[in-house]
Structure formats: C-alpha cells, structure tokens
Amino acid sequence: MSNTMRDEKPSAVEIEGELDDEKPRLGDYSGAVAKTDVAEIALVRKLDMRIMPALFCMYFLNKLDQNALANAKLNSLEKDLKLKGTQYNTAISILYVGYLFMQIPSNMLLSSRKIRPSLYMSMTMMLWAVVAAVTGAVRNYTGLVLVRFFLGSVEAPFYPGALYILSSFYTRKEIATRVSILYAGNIIAVAFAGLIAAATFSTLDGSHGLSGWRWLFIIEGVVTFGVAFLTLFLLPDYPNNTRWLTVEERELAHGRILRDTVGREDSKGVRAGLMEALKDPKLYLFALMQNMHLNATSFNQFFPSVVKALGYTPVVTLVLTSPPTLFAGAFGVLIGWSSGRFNERTWHVTGCMGAAMIGFIINCFTLNITARYIACFLFTSGVYSCNSVILGWVSATLGQTPEKKAISLSLINVVSMASFIYTPYLYNNSDSPKYVTAMSANACFSFVSIACAWGMKVWLFRTNKTLKQQDPANIVFYAY
C-alpha cells in the first residue's frame, strides 16, 4: 500500500470489522475500557512525551503574555500611558474580543485536514510572540487597546486547537488528565507571572530609559518566539499521518479513538460538522456550564489586585500570588486524573465549584488576613481544577465526528470566554479591598455551573437508557 493511501483517513464503515473484534471488551457504565494492550500503553507514553510538554509550554507562555498586563499595572503602566477610569479594564477585555472572532474559523480549518496542525500552531505562536513584544513599545491608551486586540486575534487559535489535538489522540478515560496538565500551564503561568514581574521590575526598571513593564513584555515576547520554533518538531498532525508515529502506531491511534466514540459517524465535511454541532441541544447546556465556570475565574486578571488587599508592598504582593496558584495547578492535575480514573464528571464539578463558592463568600465577609489568604487557595484551586473535567466531558459527549468535536469545543470556548469581556468591569477600584460585587457574583456563577452539571447528568442518564432500549448490543454510552 502506498504512503498516500496509508495517510488517508478510513471511514467508520471501513474499519467496522476491526472494531467488532473489540466489542467483547466490556468496560464501566459508559463502556470506557482501561488500557491493557502493551502496544497501546507504549503509544500513549510516546504521545505524552511529545504532545504534553509542547502544549504545556505553549499554554504557559500564552497566559504569561496575557497576564503581563495585570502585573504591569503594579509597575508604572497606568502612569506612563495616562490611563483613567475604566480604560485599564477595557484594555483587559478587548483582548477577548479578538479571541471571539478567530476561534471557530480556526478550529474549522484544523478539522478540515487542509493544513498541518503542527505547522499552524507553531506559526500562530510566533505571531503572538511578536505582538506581545510590541506591547512594550506602546505610548498611549489607543496603542494599548489596538495591540491587545491583535494579541487576542493571534492567540485565539491556540486553546481550542490544543483541545482538538488532545481529543484526537486521547480517550475519554485519558483526556481529563491531559487537559488538566495543559491547563496547569495556565495556572503555573499565573503563579510565576508575579515572580517574573517582580524580578524584572526590581532589576530592569529604568534600564536604558525603559520602564520595568516594557521590559517585561519584550522579554516574554522573545522567549515565546524561541519556544514556538521548537514546538514545530514536537506537535502532532492527525492520528493517521503524524510524521513521528510508525504506520502501526498511526493505525492504532486512529482506531482506538473510534472505538471510544459514542454514536460515531462518518465525516461529512466541515460545514456539516458545524450544523451537527449547532443542532445538538447538549452543546448549549455545556456552553452555559463553561460560561458560568469561566465567569468565576474572572479574578485571574485582577489576582494581584485582590492579593494586594492583604496590605503588603507590591513586590511582596506579587510573590504572594504564587502559592495559591501553584497549589491549584497540582490540585487540578489530581482532579483530572481522578475524573478519568473513575470516569466521573458531575461530583468532581460539584466539589470543585463548591469549594470555590465558599472561598468567594469568605472574601466578601472578612478582612482578616489569614481567612482571606485561605479563601484565595479555595477559589483558585476550585475553579481552575474543574476546567479539565468540563472540557473532557464536552469532547467525549459531542465527538460523533472530528469536525463536530472541533467545532463544538471552539463554540463552547467562544461562548465561555465572552465572559472575559464583561467580567473585568465587576472589579472596580472603589470596591477594594473586598471586591464584594465581583466575589458575590463569582459565588453565584459557581452555583449555576454546579446546577448545569447535574442537569447534564440527568440528561445523559436518560439518553443512555434510550440508547440501551434502541440497541441492546450497544456497549458505548455517555459518561457523566
């Protein structure tokens, strides 16, 4: 068989015979089966060694570039650019306007198989590195807003694209852990952003006539560009044509995902995938759940300001932002592993968002330093850790075709990230130090996210019951 034919994507019908051989492998309540085959275990290990370090570093730098503005505020950003009123809040939110425009077209392009994901993702990273570095040269509010908008536009393809890559290579029992490791890049970036900013401000502020915040953007942009070049050789393309997989590994990577897909269908193209996603009512409940969840993470861009309310100096404040977020990163990986290990979603979302809700409420009612710092641990670990659970749930539930999966992930991401446009306005300087408006709103957002998870659990339970009645031989069902 020629290499060209081997790289072509077989349909679900063409490999049905191979999949039938696997049907005696009964799994848990949803039909998910743990890995036992030596070749499959070796394949997943190989994927982990290449995909996860690349995506982790990309997301770490993605968030580091975004959050630089929050730390720059503690330097002389507002003074140098003469920002007034809510102009800083607008500079924060405008980035996500760019995100909204680009995410869906980007994932549609990825799922069309007309481009190599490894090349596409690396090139977009190089673009955002350049734009991030240019931020250090802005001279006024207008320039800041324009650069932030373009930064959002070129960064937009990364996160939904990374989720699509993970969902193309990992099964339902595996993906939550991998998404949690990916998301840990975000969390650790938040943790180290303060430390990096503190070091930059204390050593380079005023050097060569440039403020510390300008050096921060320049340095982070240069490092991001260098890492982007390296990811070109680590990232995969598609399961059946990734260059660093053998022919046998490609076939195994492709087949195991089809075996793990509920209600799998043959691909009908990108446009059909878009319509399939839009017609699935479960998409909208997931979108609401994730939107409420990300509403509750709105403190991210203001975390230094929230911690500043403890009353310490700017440098100490930046250092104190690290422990809660580092703990949240480790806790998030544990939650992702647990969700995959037990193939459970609802109780994990409930526990995480419930803990976050308690943290937000504590922050509303007390100025006690110890209590407020404990609250920081609760709400950071709570909201950050359930992100992988929700997105893994989406991938496993709305993945009947690769196109539908890619578009569903990007649609939900767009709807959820729209929250970053309006939530910055909840954090008014006049509400400091408690930020009662923002924190009480976050508690409400957490509660609604929990309610959505239980609504989805009931919905999928009933859907599984219907699937069993329609086809008693079916062994693959929705997980909840």
Side-chain angles (χ1 to χ4, degrees), residues 108-422:
M108 290 178 71
L109 182 60
L110 276 178
S111 64
S112 71
R113 301 178 66 86
K114 294 180 179 179
I115 60 170
R116 284 173 47 198
S118 58
L119 179 61
Y120 178 71
M121 297 286 279
S122 298
M123 292 299 294
T124 57
M125 187 178 185
M126 291 180 186
L127 285 174
W128 95 55
V130 172
V131 177
V134 169
T135 307
V138 298
R139 297 295 173 184
N140 51 46
Y141 169 67
T142 302
L144 179 64
V145 169
L146 287 174
V147 168
R148 293 285 292 179
F149 174 80
F150 286 114
L151 181 63
S153 299
V154 294
E155 284 190 338
F158 170 70
Y159 192 55
L163 293 175
Y164 176 61
I165 288 174
L166 292 177
S167 67
S168 298
F169 285 89
Y170 292 103
T171 64
R172 289 177 291 170
K173 290 180 75 67
E174 298 165 348
I175 192 169
T177 303
R178 274 69 187 184
V179 175
S180 70
I181 294 172
L182 169 68
Y183 200 67
N186 171 4
I187 297 170
I188 294 175
V190 175
F192 280 94
L195 298 177
I196 293 170
T200 303
F201 298 160
S202 62
T203 58
L204 291 176
D205 193 21
S207 180
H208 297 284
L210 298 178
S211 300
W213 67 268
R214 296 188 187 275
W215 280 113
L216 182 65
F217 283 109
I218 294 170
I219 292 171
E220 291 180 357
V222 170
V223 172
T224 299
F225 192 91
V227 173
F229 180 76
L230 297 177
T231 60
L232 179 62
F233 304 99
L234 292 174
L235 291 175
D237 291 318
Y238 302 98
N240 58 347
N241 71 354
T242 293
R243 294 160 297 164
W244 40 263
L245 292 177
T246 65
V247 172
E248 292 75 17
E249 288 171 335
R250 294 175 188 177
E251 292 173 351
L252 176 58
H254 182 66
R256 76 191 202 102
I257 296 302
L258 287 183
R259 284 192 293 271
D260 194 56
T261 302
V262 182
R264 67 177 184 272
E265 301 173 4
D266 285 335
S267 299
K268 305 179 185 67
V270 174
R271 186 174 299 178
L274 174 61
M275 296 310 299
E276 289 171 356
L278 292 174
K279 290 178 181 179
D280 193 330
K282 293 187 289 296
L283 172 81
Y284 302 99
L285 183 55
F286 274 127
L288 178 61
M289 187 193 312
Q290 182 67 346
N291 176 267
M292 291 294 106
H293 162 245
L294 285 195
N295 279 342
T297 67
S298 60
F299 66 86
N300 179 28
Q301 294 285 356
F302 294 86
F303 197 43
S305 297
V306 172
V307 177
K308 184 180 179 181
L310 298 177
Y312 295 102
T313 65
V315 172
V316 174
T317 294
L318 289 171
V319 173
L320 287 175
T321 62
S322 297
T325 46
L326 288 174
F327 177 81
F331 186 68
V333 174
L334 175 64
I335 291 296
W337 172 85
S338 175
S339 176
R341 172 69 177 80
F342 298 103
N343 203 21
E344 201 285 328
R345 315 286 186 263
T346 310
W347 280 107
H348 284 78
V349 172
T350 302
C352 292
M353 296 306 290
M357 188 162 54
I358 293 171
F360 292 132
I361 292 173
I362 291 173
N363 211 79
C364 287
F365 284 98
T366 183
L367 288 175
N368 179 273
I369 292 177
T370 302
R372 289 175 68 83
Y373 200 52
I374 291 174
C376 288
F377 279 85
L378 285 173
F379 63 70
T380 53
S381 58
V383 296
Y384 286 150
S385 58
C386 81
N387 187 69
S388 62
V389 179
I390 296 175
L391 292 174
W393 201 357
V394 171
S395 173
T397 306
L398 304 178
Q400 286 67 46
T401 67
E403 294 84 2
K404 180 183 178 183
K405 180 188 294 185
I407 294 168
S408 295
L409 286 168
S410 59
L411 280 168
I412 288 172
N413 217 42
V414 165
V415 173
S416 60
M417 293 192 76
S419 64
F420 293 149
I421 295 176
Y422 53 82

Side-chain angles (χ1 to χ4, degrees), residues 32-185:
V33 180
K35 297 185 295 297
T36 56
D37 180 64
V38 174
E40 185 178 5
I41 293 172
L43 169 65
V44 173
R45 185 180 298 115
K46 185 175 183 178
L47 295 174
D48 286 342
M49 293 300 291
R50 286 179 173 263
I51 296 175
M52 297 315 304
L55 292 182
F56 177 91
C57 290
M58 293 177 79
Y59 203 19
F60 175 85
L61 292 167
N62 179 280
K63 285 300 174 182
L64 204 62
D65 293 340
Q66 287 183 23
N67 290 342
L69 193 66
N71 293 314
K73 184 182 180 185
L74 296 181
N75 190 238
S76 57
L77 173 81
E78 291 182 301
K79 178 183 177 182
D80 291 349
L81 302 185
K82 298 179 175 61
L83 301 184
K84 301 177 181 179
T86 59
Q87 288 183 337
Y88 171 79
N89 305 68
T90 301
I92 290 288
S93 64
I94 196 67
L95 178 138
Y96 299 100
V97 176
Y99 258 80
L100 298 186
F101 281 114
M102 294 301 298
Q103 287 197 37
I104 296 174
S106 176
N107 258 27
M108 290 178 71
L109 182 60
L110 276 178
S111 64
S112 71
R113 301 178 66 86
K114 294 180 179 179
I115 60 170
R116 284 173 47 198
S118 58
L119 179 61
Y120 178 71
M121 297 286 279
S122 298
M123 292 299 294
T124 57
M125 187 178 185
M126 291 180 186
L127 285 174
W128 95 55
V130 172
V131 177
V134 169
T135 307
V138 298
R139 297 295 173 184
N140 51 46
Y141 169 67
T142 302
L144 179 64
V145 169
L146 287 174
V147 168
R148 293 285 292 179
F149 174 80
F150 286 114
L151 181 63
S153 299
V154 294
E155 284 190 338
F158 170 70
Y159 192 55
L163 293 175
Y164 176 61
I165 288 174
L166 292 177
S167 67
S168 298
F169 285 89
Y170 292 103
T171 64
R172 289 177 291 170
K173 290 180 75 67
E174 298 165 348
I175 192 169
T177 303
R178 274 69 187 184
V179 175
S180 70
I181 294 172
L182 169 68
Y183 200 67

